[in-house]
Structures are given as structure tokens and as C-alpha cells.
Amino acid sequence: MLLTFLSFLAFTGFVALFSWYKLRKDKLDTQDGYFLGGRSLTGVVIAGSMLLTNISTEHLIGMNGSAYKNGFIIIAWEVTSAVALVIGALYFIPTFLKMGLTTIPQYLEYRFDRITRTLVALFLIVSFVVTLLPIVLYTGAINLESIFNVSETLGVTQGQGLWVTVIIIGVIGSIYAIFGGLKAVAFSDTINGFGLFIGGLLVLGFALWDIGDGNMIEGLSKVYKAAPEKFNVIGAKDSVLPFETLFTGLMINQLYFWCMNQTIIQRAFGAVSLAEAQKGLLYTGVLKLLVPLVIILPGVIGFYYFGDSLYNNQDLIYPELIKKVLPVGLTGFFAAVVLGAVLSTFNSVLNSTATIFSLGIYKRHLNKDASEKQLVWIGKLTSIILAVCAIVAAPMVAGAPEGLYQLLQQLNGIFFIPIASILIAGLFIPRISAVGAKAALFIGLAFYILTSFIFKVDIHFVHLWGIEFILNMIVMFGVSYFYPNTNTFKPADIESIEMHPWKYARHLGLLLVVLTVAIYIWLGQ
């Protein structure tokens, strides 16, 4: 246990010192400096930060748990992201950077009106507090409790041990986000990103080495022969993720998450140039095609080791696999990687939410004359309040019947699809009015809550996303007919950064789309 703890402290300390060294001369009391990293981020840093903001313990724990139970059909959540990132790099990010945006809600004010911007800002803040942050904290606590036996060490119950771990993670993550701003988040994410891949591949490698008696290829062959059905990527109609969902609501969700989600796209807003922003998105697409090696295949390997003995506790499969296959000295390193993944998503969401509240609500409605230093101070205060709320809410997500990752996606649909609908309509359909957008926001929200959580209709929630999207479009067209659009807004080039595109963007984008299709052809049965 001592060796585990020392290796944990060594890697965690290295990340903290590296981030401090990189930031020691930066000015963090200005709006761009704190919220956008001084618009100085490069493609590699953007990709590392985007990946780590996305990949956290809800993936390591939740997706491996789901893969253990359902197999490779859940790979759709990952590989279709590459297609969305291609669209984001070639269309969305040039449009947004041309306007010099700091937040996505800022665009909604330009395109629609101030009320639409404020409503979406509030929706995003609520969604972060009630869905993403609590689940990230809780899954991180599960992993660290399992590795370090916190409850046993402190002489308390497992539930109390999880509470203690949640509080520790929340406090550390808040310090990163509150005192370092986006650049601290991005640099720490980059190091943790490499650590996550190395650690995840070590778990995979040691497991296959063990199963294959020193031959990893033989180990993978044994895993496949033991349960070939687990490697099928085509989900049946009654499965946890039917294949048809790729053509209904899944791609809408992916477009929102990778092209319009403030927490993710804020890294690209902080790019030094359009070319670096495009590199960041496309490099992330490459990584998303490799990520299943870390967050899906280990879950299937867990089935080889443990059979169906953990079907009722699927979110415990990854911590159990770590303890079984990793040498003691590396367990602490991987625990540090897990902590880094938790902190990455947690502090990224805090920083993005602080940006949305400070610039989109406080500056616009509460104190129009606020100085940049005041905005930074309000951003830090917002982060503190949100962190406390997330810590309190974290243990309430325990016991999700289909696993924590599935719960997260189902809850995300409450806010993501209505916001995606009005953003896509705003970008592509000039006739949509502000009144139509606001009507779609509330009707879409009500439709999804009623069908998913109150009446619980027997339709997969991803299909409901697609139905909701179409409903929202009909509502926007109908309302805009009676209340026509009078806003003549067109994106203006304010030239805040260099806007020449990356010359290889289309080439790499085409390759990512081809590889995504190839994965389904190769693993489809």
C-alpha cells in the first residue's frame, strides 16, 4: 500500500508542478487570460485537453462496466465522435472563431436575442450541476475507494469513505479551476491525457499478457473465443444501444457535444489560430478511434475474468480488473491517472460554467460595467458554489440500473437536444426567429422529460432524441411563420486570431470518416 501511495503522489505532484511552471509568468486577471488561456493554445494541447475533458471516470468506470455487460455495441458513443469532430473542424469552429466568440450562448444573442442567450446559459449551468459533475465525482470516488480502501483505512463504512473521497476530489479540482483558469486546466489535462492512455494501455497489456501466458495476441484470441458475441458492434433493437440509433438521435447528440458544447469547444476558442483549432479537433478525432482500447475492451476482458458475477454491480468491474492485473507499484500511478481524469472533467466544467455565468449572465444582466478583474473574481466565486453543489449531489447518483454512463447520457438529453436544435437552426436556417427558438427550447424540454421520466414510453431514449429534434424543428418553423425573424445578423470577421485553415484538415477529416465506417464493417456481424 505504501508503494501504491508513493507512486500516486509522485505522478500527481509532477502534474501540479508542470502546470505551475508553465503558468508562472501568465496574467490570469484578464478576461482572455483566465477564460481562454490568453488565446495561446496549440493543437496538441487542445486535443489533450478536449480528450481529458471528455474521458473521465464516467468512461473508465461507466463504459467499461457497460462493455462488460453489453459488449462492443456501445463503441458507437466513441467512434461516431470522430465524424462529429470532422464537421466541427471544417464548419463550426471556423464560423465561431470568425466571430471571436468566448461562449456558445454569446452566439445565440447575436443570432436570436438576449433572452435566448440567458435561457441557454441557465440550462447549461443547471445541466452541469445536476448531471455531469455529480456523476464524475462519484465514479472517481468509486475507483479511488477501491484502490486505496479509504473506508477501511479510516475505519468507516464504504458509503462514508465514498463521501470523504468525493470531498477530497472536489476540493482539489476546484483549486485547479479557480486559481489557474483555462490554461492551467489545459496543461494539466495534456499530461494527464498521456497518463490516461499509458495507464489504460498498461491495464490492457498486463491483462492480455496474463490471459495469454506471455503472448498478448493469444490472450486477445482467448478473450474473443470465450465470448465472441461481446465483440459485435451492431446492437439489436432491444439492446442498450440499438444500431438504428446512429441514424436518429446519436449524431445530433455528437454534433452538439463536440461542436457546440461550451465545456469542450472552449478549448478551441482558446486556440492561437484557426489552423491550431482545427488540428486540435481532428487530433481528438484520431484519439477517439483509439479510446475503445482503454474504455471498452477492458470491460470485455473483465467478463473473461469474472463471468457474470458482477452483472448487478457492473460499475465495479474496472476497479476489480485494475487490482487483479496491475503490479502494486503501478496501481498508485494509475490511481493518479484516474484522479487526473476526474479533475480534468470536473475543473473544465467549473471553468466553462464560470465563463458562461460571468460573461453571459453577470456582465449582461447584473453589472454591465464590471471590470475584467471583477469578472474573473465572479468566475472564481461561481466555481466555488458549483463545486459545493456537485459534492453534495454526487452520492445521489448511486445505483443506476443500466450503469452510470447510461444514466449520464439519458440525463444529458434533457438539455443537450433542445440547445442543439436551436443552434443548428440558427446556423443553417435564416428564417428561424427568436420566438421560434424559445418555443422549441421549452417544448423540447417538456417533451423529453414527459416521455423519458414521467410516462416512460417504450422507445429508446436516443430515438427520443431524434423525435425531439424533429419536433423542435417543426415548432421553430411553425412559430417563425407567425413571428417572422427580424434579425439580419451575419457572422462578422473580427480577426481576433489568424484565420488561415490547416492545409491538411480535409485530408485527415476524410480519413477519419473512412476509418469510422471501416470499424463497423470490420466488427459488424
Side-chain angles (χ1 to χ4, degrees):
M1 180 59 73
L2 178 61
L3 184 58
T4 298
F5 188 66
L6 288 175
S7 59
F8 170 80
L9 287 180
F11 187 76
T12 304
F14 169 71
V15 173
L17 286 172
F18 176 83
S19 301
W20 168 81
Y21 178 78
K22 284 295 209 178
L23 292 167
R24 69 193 189 285
K25 296 180 180 179
D26 282 31
K27 293 181 179 180
L28 298 176
D29 57 353
T30 65
Q31 177 177 310
D32 276 1
Y34 186 78
F35 295 118
L36 292 179
R39 296 190 188 271
S40 62
L41 304 183
T42 60
V44 172
V45 173
I46 292 168
S49 187
M50 288 180 78
L51 183 73
L52 256 288
T53 298
N54 171 231
I55 302 298
S56 188
T57 44
E58 82 275 10
H59 287 76
L60 288 173
I61 300 290
M63 286 204 76
N64 274 307
S66 185
Y68 160 72
K69 193 171 183 178
N70 305 294
F72 264 68
I73 59 174
I74 62 166
I75 200 174
W77 291 116
E78 296 306 306
V79 296
T80 57
S81 299
V83 177
L85 283 158
V86 171
I87 297 171
L90 299 181
Y91 180 78
F92 284 94
I93 201 60
T95 303
F96 291 149
L97 289 180
K98 185 177 182 180
M99 292 182 278
L101 295 183
T102 305
T103 69
I104 291 296
Q106 185 181 352
Y107 167 75
L108 292 172
E109 180 173 356
Y110 296 156
R111 174 61 178 84
F112 296 116
D113 58 20
R114 288 178 61 187
I115 297 175
T116 306
R117 171 179 179 165
T118 303
L119 285 172
V120 169
L122 291 171
F123 277 19
L124 288 173
I125 292 170
V126 172
S127 74
F128 293 150
V129 174
V130 302
T131 59
L132 182 57
L133 289 177
I135 289 177
V136 167
L137 284 179
Y138 187 73
T139 50
I142 289 175
N143 216 336
L144 293 177
E145 155 68 23
S146 174
I147 292 172
F148 289 116
N149 294 317
V150 175
S151 55
E152 185 179 314
T153 303
L154 297 178
V156 297
T157 66
Q158 188 176 56
Q160 292 170 329
L162 286 172
W163 262 105
V164 171
T165 312
V166 162
I167 292 170
I168 293 172
I169 295 171
V171 170
I172 296 174
S174 302
I175 292 171
Y176 264 101
I178 293 165
F179 296 106
L182 178 64
K183 202 167 185 179
V185 172
F187 274 113
S188 62
D189 284 355
T190 303
I191 300 300
N192 282 319
F194 286 114
L196 176 70
F197 261 108
I198 293 170
L201 291 174
L202 283 173
V203 173
L204 177 65
F206 277 111
L208 294 178
W209 183 273
D210 176 56
I211 295 169
D213 296 320
N215 185 327
M216 288 189 283
I217 300 298
E218 179 62 24
L220 181 60
S221 177
K222 286 184 177 180
V223 173
Y224 177 80
K225 290 176 181 176
E229 72 282 358
K230 295 285 186 182
F231 286 82
N232 181 26
V233 296
I234 308 297
K237 292 184 183 298
D238 59 348
S239 68
V240 69
L241 191 64
F243 179 68
E244 293 80 10
T245 58
L246 273 69
F247 309 101
T248 55
L250 185 59
M251 276 309 301
I252 297 166
N253 177 76
Q254 300 289 46
L255 282 174
Y256 171 78
F257 188 85
W258 292 105
C259 306
M260 298 171 265
N261 180 356
Q262 179 68 30
T263 306
I264 295 293
I265 207 68
Q266 187 169 339
R267 278 101 195 91
F269 286 173
V272 69
S273 66
L274 171 60
E276 292 301 317
Q278 290 180 316
K279 289 178 188 177
L281 267 67
L282 293 170
Y283 292 166
T284 305
V286 173
L287 294 173
K288 290 296 285 184
L289 294 182
L290 299 174
V291 155
L293 294 174
V294 175
I295 63 174
I296 294 177
L297 183 53
V300 177
I301 292 172
F303 181 80
Y304 177 88
Y305 275 120
F306 304 105
D308 59 5
S309 62
L310 290 173
Y311 263 24
N312 294 327
N313 295 287
Q314 65 187 59
D315 291 318
L316 295 179
I317 194 68
Y318 197 60
E320 291 300 318
L321 184 64
I322 290 171
K323 289 193 293 186
K324 183 171 182 64
V325 303
L326 274 189
V328 173
L330 290 175
T331 304
F333 160 73
F334 196 73
V337 170
V338 169
L339 178 62
V342 178
L343 296 181
S344 170
T345 301
F346 186 72
N347 56 29
S348 297
V349 173
L350 286 184
N351 182 265
S352 296
T353 310
T355 307
I356 291 170
F357 181 81
S358 300
L359 304 181
I361 296 178
Y362 183 79
K363 175 77 171 176
R364 303 296 296 173
H365 299 283
L366 302 178
N367 186 358
K368 296 179 181 179
D369 298 321
S371 66
E372 291 199 350
K373 287 186 177 181
Q374 284 178 309
L375 290 175
V376 171
W377 185 86
I378 288 296
K380 292 178 179 179
L381 180 62
T382 303
S383 295
I384 292 171
I385 295 171
L386 290 175
V388 171
C389 292
I391 289 169
V392 171
M396 300 178 187
V397 302
E402 290 293 341
L404 289 168
Y405 188 79
Q406 196 80 349
L407 172 65
L408 173 63
Q409 295 296 349
Q410 192 169 8
L411 291 173
N412 279 342
I414 298 174
F415 302 100
F416 283 8
I417 303 304
I419 296 172
S421 301
I422 67 169
L423 278 165
I424 291 172
L427 287 165
F428 293 100
I429 311 173
R431 65 176 292 184
I432 300 301
S433 68
V435 179
K438 287 191 281 286
L441 270 179
F442 287 105
I443 290 175
L445 186 74
F447 169 81
Y448 187 73
I449 291 174
L450 288 172
T451 54
S452 293
F453 302 104
I454 297 177
F455 298 113
K456 297 182 179 180
V457 298
D458 189 21
I459 300 175
H460 195 281
F461 70 88
V462 178
H463 287 318
L464 286 176
W465 291 350
I467 295 170
E468 179 186 356
F469 180 79
I470 294 171
L471 173 64
N472 289 343
M473 288 297 174
I474 293 171
V475 168
M476 281 188 280
F477 272 106
V479 173
S480 297
Y481 177 80
F482 294 102
Y483 298 90
N485 181 31
T486 57
N487 188 345
T488 57
F489 163 77
K490 291 183 179 179
D493 188 352
I494 67 171
E495 297 184 350
S496 58
I497 60 171
E498 171 59 53
M499 287 297 295
H500 288 295
W502 185 35
K503 63 180 179 179
Y504 299 115
R506 293 185 180 276
H507 301 84
L508 182 52
L510 177 61
L511 177 62
L512 288 174
V513 173
V514 170
L515 289 175
T516 301
V517 175
I519 287 171
Y520 273 91
I521 294 173
W522 179 39
L523 294 176
Q525 293 182 8

